Amino acid sequence: MKIIIINSGSSSIKYQMIDMPANEVICSGMIDRIGLESSNFSYVTNTVKVEETLPIANHKIGLQKISQLLMDDKVGVIKSTSEIEAVGHRVVHGGSDFSNTVTITKEVKDKIRQLSDLAPLHNPANLEGINVAEEIFSSAKQVAVFDTAFHQTIPVVAHKYAIPNFLLTENKIRVYGFHGTSHKYVSEKAICYLNEKNSGKSSRIITIHLGNGCSMTAIKDGKSIDHTLGFAPMNGLIMGTRSGDVDQSIIFHMVNSLGYSLDAVNNLLQKQSGMLGLTGYSDLRDIESNAEKGNLDCQLALDMNAYRIKKFIGSYTAVLNGLDAIIFTAGIGENSSYIRKLVCTDMDYFGLELDSAKNEIRSKEIREINTPDSKTKILVIPTNEEIEIANQVYELLLK
């Protein structure tokens, strides 16, 4: 069974065609820096690798580019869209309506659209992916897998806000959590790895997903018990263009004293803040490069980014009552040795001792980057949200 997974992020598209249930990847690739003149495009099969740098203005153009290569006479892997039985879509916010994987209907799309106010950088892009896929793969079943599902196990003491009760019971305002497919995938890999090393002891781990969007999850014995993102994917860590945690009184000050409209504040915190607001760059590769050249704003932003991660490691270690491992994953977490070094420096109280040489190694496999004497494992685990989504889509189709 051929399943295509489309993961439309806020500034990227990752995709894979997977033969299920063998989990065999037929082709894969991604587009990043969407909206910039220097978008990167890749398309990889067992025999072909295509890489281009070109302007890709939006997700629709990107998805059309992907579909053209899938059916290309020379490098394509299918001759007809009828070969595709299902398309699995990552959808960021499922609200209180979706706690499981679902077949996409008009009603499901309407709800995803309604929830766009809570995930304005993601749900619209997710919905665009669905709409384009429905046109291209018209005979395939379209399936949605929600980022929020993995975090349904967060207990009420952690998911409830200290606001009047009716806002939870009637309006469903609570911590939902995001990047669930990634946190679920890498945590399961980590638990298997730890069990092999530690004879099946219980696991207390912190997964650190660092990309354009960033989040951390406290996971005890395989279950999410706390998470940095909340009602919408905006708070917590410093992100590419999102501020992360701010004092909410700043919002009222900007509106009441500085003359900002609520829409302007929302746009500023969602699209003009984070690393972009601090440095003028949203891509960490640009920020690290400029920091190396002496840009003090870029260096400070990197320090602030790591400092925020450290704070959550401390609080989540308290919640877990101990720590067996931290896991770095996603684009920045897997590839930025510098961020990992900043996070793990002066963390010996938590049993974290980084091996500098191991930290510089790049690999697609699970790897330890801690010293042999480190009491806490420091793992880099490449995420594969597409495989996780494919497994969930396949399970749904079997029902």
Side-chain angles (χ1 to χ4, degrees):
M1 177 187 296
K2 291 185 177 70
I3 297 175
I4 289 182
I5 306 303
I6 295 175
N7 183 348
S8 295
S10 55
S11 62
S12 65
I13 301 171
K14 292 191 290 184
Y15 64 95
Q16 290 187 15
M17 180 184 293
I18 302 171
D19 187 18
M20 296 296 291
N23 273 340
E24 179 186 350
V25 177
I26 299 170
C27 74
S28 63
M30 72 174 297
I31 304 171
D32 65 7
R33 301 188 183 213
I34 290 175
L36 302 180
E37 289 295 313
S38 57
S39 301
N40 298 313
F41 174 84
S42 67
Y43 172 86
V44 181
T45 71
N46 290 331
T47 57
V48 174
K49 184 174 184 180
V50 177
E51 292 182 328
E52 297 179 56
T53 299
L54 70 168
I56 295 180
N58 54 49
H59 288 73
K60 184 172 184 178
I61 292 173
L63 287 164
Q64 289 173 339
K65 172 79 172 174
I66 292 166
S67 66
Q68 288 168 4
L69 278 182
L70 288 174
M71 296 181 284
D72 185 83
D73 290 340
K74 294 182 179 179
V75 300
V77 291
I78 56 174
K79 294 182 178 179
S80 168
T81 58
S82 62
E83 296 178 42
I84 306 302
E85 294 191 44
V87 182
H89 299 269
R90 175 209 180 197
V91 180
V92 166
H93 211 311
S96 58
D97 297 276
F98 304 111
S99 58
N100 294 299
T101 301
V102 298
T103 300
I104 295 171
T105 63
K106 180 182 181 301
E107 289 72 25
V108 170
K109 290 200 295 181
D110 288 344
K111 196 64 184 180
I112 293 171
R113 185 178 295 106
Q114 292 168 21
L115 290 165
S116 290
D117 287 343
L118 304 183
L121 299 184
H122 299 89
N123 272 34
N126 303 154
L127 189 58
E128 182 72 15
I130 292 169
N131 288 331
V132 174
E134 285 178 334
E135 294 176 12
I136 298 171
F137 308 103
S138 56
S139 62
K141 181 169 286 188
Q142 308 288 327
V143 178
V145 177
F146 295 92
D147 266 13
T148 46
F150 178 60
H151 302 295
Q152 294 297 306
T153 54
I154 295 176
V156 65
V157 68
H159 79 234
K160 186 175 182 179
Y161 291 111
I163 53 180
N165 290 330
F166 74 88
L167 289 169
L168 173 60
T169 56
E170 297 178 20
N171 303 110
K172 310 302 181 186
I173 296 177
R174 53 158 289 181
V175 170
Y176 284 104
F178 300 91
H179 299 137
T181 52
S182 177
H183 288 288
K184 182 176 186 291
Y185 180 84
V186 298
S187 65
E188 289 175 350
K189 293 289 185 182
I191 290 167
C192 288
Y193 182 86
L194 292 172
N195 285 345
E196 291 173 1
K197 299 290 183 179
N198 301 318
S199 302
K201 64 181 285 188
S202 62
S203 61
R204 298 164 298 179
I205 62 179
I206 297 172
T207 50
I208 308 171
H209 176 107
L210 302 177
N212 190 55
C214 302
S215 65
M216 294 170 59
T217 305
I219 300 172
K220 189 170 185 178
D221 298 335
K223 294 183 179 180
S224 172
I225 64 168
D226 208 344
H227 183 73
T228 56
L229 294 171
F231 180 61
M234 186 175 174
N235 61 303
L237 303 179
I238 298 170
M239 293 170 258
T241 65
R242 284 166 276 172
S243 64
D245 284 347
V246 297
D247 180 347
Q248 52 266 50
S249 63
I250 293 171
I251 298 170
F252 299 109
H253 178 71
M254 292 178 70
V255 172
N256 296 329
S257 301
L258 302 183
Y260 283 79
S261 67
L262 283 173
D263 284 344
V265 173
N266 183 58
N267 186 67
L268 183 144
L269 294 177
Q270 294 266 20
K271 299 180 180 181
Q272 300 172 22
S273 296
M275 301 301 274
L276 177 64
L278 292 170
T279 69
Y281 305 98
S282 62
D283 192 294
L284 194 85
R285 290 166 292 190
D286 297 329
I287 296 167
E288 287 190 4
S289 174
N290 281 279
E292 289 178 2
K293 297 173 184 176
N295 186 311
L296 297 181
D297 286 339
C298 289
Q299 183 58 65
L300 177 59
L302 293 169
D303 291 338
M304 290 173 64
N305 190 306
Y307 180 79
R308 187 77 59 89
I309 295 169
K310 287 185 174 188
K311 287 175 66 175
F312 278 106
I313 289 175
S315 63
Y316 284 175
T317 300
V319 168
L320 291 164
N321 192 27
L323 186 62
D324 297 311
I326 64 171
I327 294 94
F328 289 96
T329 193
I332 293 170
E334 294 167 28
N335 296 306
S336 176
S337 60
Y338 187 68
I339 284 291
R340 295 194 300 263
K341 178 181 178 181
L342 287 178
V343 170
C344 296
T345 298
D346 296 328
M347 293 286 278
D348 49 292
Y349 184 82
F350 296 96
L352 296 168
E353 295 183 21
L354 185 72
D355 184 308
S356 297
K358 291 179 181 177
N359 186 40
E360 296 299 326
I361 296 171
R362 289 201 176 193
S363 171
K364 294 183 179 180
E365 304 300 323
I366 296 176
R367 61 194 189 275
E368 285 188 29
I369 58 172
N370 50 271
T371 65
D373 295 332
S374 181
K375 295 179 181 178
T376 302
K377 298 290 187 187
I378 307 171
L379 305 178
V380 179
I381 303 181
T383 192
N384 198 324
E385 294 172 274
E386 290 74 27
I387 288 290
E388 178 62 35
I389 292 169
N391 287 330
Q392 295 189 36
V393 170
Y394 184 70
E395 289 174 7
L396 178 67
L397 296 180
L398 290 181
K399 292 179 180 177

